[in-house]
Amino acid sequence: MEKPVSKKKKGISPIWILPAIALCIGAWLLYKGIVERPVYIVVHFRSAEGVTAGKTKVMYKGLPVGVVEEITVDEGLDTVSMKIAIDPRAKKGLVKDLKFWIVRPEIAAGRVRGLQTLLSGSYIAVQPGRSKEPCREFYGLDEPPPVPEDAPGLHIKLRTEALNSLQQGSPIYYKDIRVGSVQGYTLEEDGTILVSAYIEPEYKRLVKPGSRFWNASGITLSGGLSGIKFHMESVTTLINGGVSFYTPEFMMDQKPATNGQVYKLYKDYE
């Protein structure tokens, strides 16, 4: 009578397949959780008006890159701190000169902005920094920052006797097309006002050394024996202020203007 011979099976038993799959899934979820974990920063603002924890987003170029998770009052009750969760893909952009400000609907004398937030709600806007030094604590601005001086485009100055309804953010037009904006202004020692203007890169070729700029805010009325002339640039400039410019035909062959060039800002088109 032959004796039975036992043989050992080689390889992994099917019973271990399910635990192995579970282990792989767990490791992948752990890795994903670490990689996609948000980066937390703190931004101090004067006020949290219009901001809601868990709802208000941080927006860059129309895309959300973070959300406010917690709001607390700082010591001294002068400012508030907002704990913000930032998308980890934006981690490299969290540098020392990064700028934040709150975009709210604002309607006041000579100022209209942020109307898009009436439906969507307030949000925190951000301007990228150029520093290489990482940072996790910031101080928010009360106003949108001007375009950096080294940003692509044309940076010029407009000298005027009176600001009228011009303000930071007022549009600059060429043939009723918005081509730039007012970035700020300073009062000079001689009593004149020097307005900082920015022209978008695709339109900077339109500005020549001989271009003429005028304040397009408000309504111009002039009259004589032939009748009354009425001139208004647009409803936008009437409310928010604005600047227009043109270049005489015989100067169109001039080379484009360069950064830092100073122009006289005339009080009106005439």
Side-chain angles (χ1 to χ4, degrees):
M1 185 175 178
E2 294 182 0
K3 293 182 179 180
V5 178
S6 61
K7 294 182 179 181
K8 292 183 179 181
K9 291 185 177 180
K10 296 181 179 180
I12 300 175
S13 174
I15 198 172
W16 292 105
I17 294 178
L18 188 59
I21 294 175
L23 181 62
C24 291
I25 293 176
W28 178 77
L29 290 175
L30 178 62
Y31 171 78
K32 185 178 180 182
I34 294 174
V35 171
E36 296 185 356
R37 183 173 55 189
V39 180
Y40 290 96
I41 64 171
V42 175
V43 183
H44 303 277
F45 285 100
R46 288 182 180 271
S47 169
E49 181 182 356
V51 178
T52 304
K55 182 179 178 181
T56 301
K57 297 179 179 179
V58 178
M59 305 291 289
Y60 176 65
K61 292 187 175 181
L63 297 175
V65 295
V67 64
V68 177
E69 289 201 351
E70 184 181 346
I71 304 174
T72 56
V73 179
D74 291 330
E75 292 185 16
L77 306 179
D78 293 329
T79 57
V80 298
S81 295
M82 298 185 188
K83 183 181 178 182
I84 301 175
I86 298 294
D87 190 308
R89 291 172 294 182
K91 181 179 179 179
K92 291 184 178 179
L94 298 175
V95 293
K96 194 171 183 179
D97 56 346
L98 186 66
K99 295 179 174 60
F100 296 88
W101 68 98
I102 301 174
V103 179
R104 308 182 179 95
E106 185 177 356
I107 303 176
R111 185 188 295 273
V112 178
R113 68 184 182 193
L115 297 183
Q116 72 275 16
T117 62
L118 289 174
L119 297 177
S120 62
S122 300
Y123 63 89
I124 298 175
V126 57
Q127 182 185 91
R130 299 184 180 275
S131 172
K132 300 297 182 182
E133 183 179 346
C135 187
R136 296 294 183 267
E137 185 174 7
F138 305 88
Y139 289 86
L141 305 175
D142 296 327
E143 301 282 343
V147 176
E149 289 291 334
D150 57 350
L154 180 64
H155 302 263
I156 57 175
K157 305 291 185 181
L158 307 175
R159 190 178 298 277
T160 180
E161 296 293 334
L163 195 62
N164 295 320
S165 59
L166 288 181
Q167 58 184 287
Q168 183 180 359
S170 291
I172 298 176
Y173 292 99
Y174 178 79
K175 294 184 177 180
D176 295 330
I177 299 174
R178 179 167 180 157
V179 298
S181 59
V182 171
Q183 297 300 302
Y185 49 85
T186 56
L187 182 63
E188 300 294 285
E189 293 184 358
D190 59 0
T192 61
I193 299 172
L194 200 60
V195 178
S196 299
Y198 172 70
I199 306 296
E200 300 286 346
E202 61 266 36
Y203 300 114
K204 67 178 184 179
R205 58 180 173 78
L206 299 173
V207 183
K208 310 290 185 179
S211 295
R212 303 286 193 267
F213 290 81
W214 72 90
N215 195 322
S217 310
I219 299 172
T220 301
L221 291 175
S222 59
L225 296 177
S226 59
I228 297 176
K229 294 181 179 180
F230 172 89
H231 181 79
M232 182 180 74
E233 292 292 327
S234 67
V235 176
T236 302
T237 57
L238 179 64
I239 297 174
N240 203 34
V243 173
S244 290
F245 75 94
Y246 86 105
T247 303
E249 288 294 332
F250 65 91
M251 294 183 178
M252 290 300 293
D253 293 333
Q254 292 181 339
K255 293 182 178 180
T258 56
N259 286 339
Q261 199 150 347
V262 180
Y263 294 85
K264 178 179 179 179
L265 179 64
Y266 293 91
K267 65 179 182 179
D268 54 38
Y269 176 78
E270 294 299 329

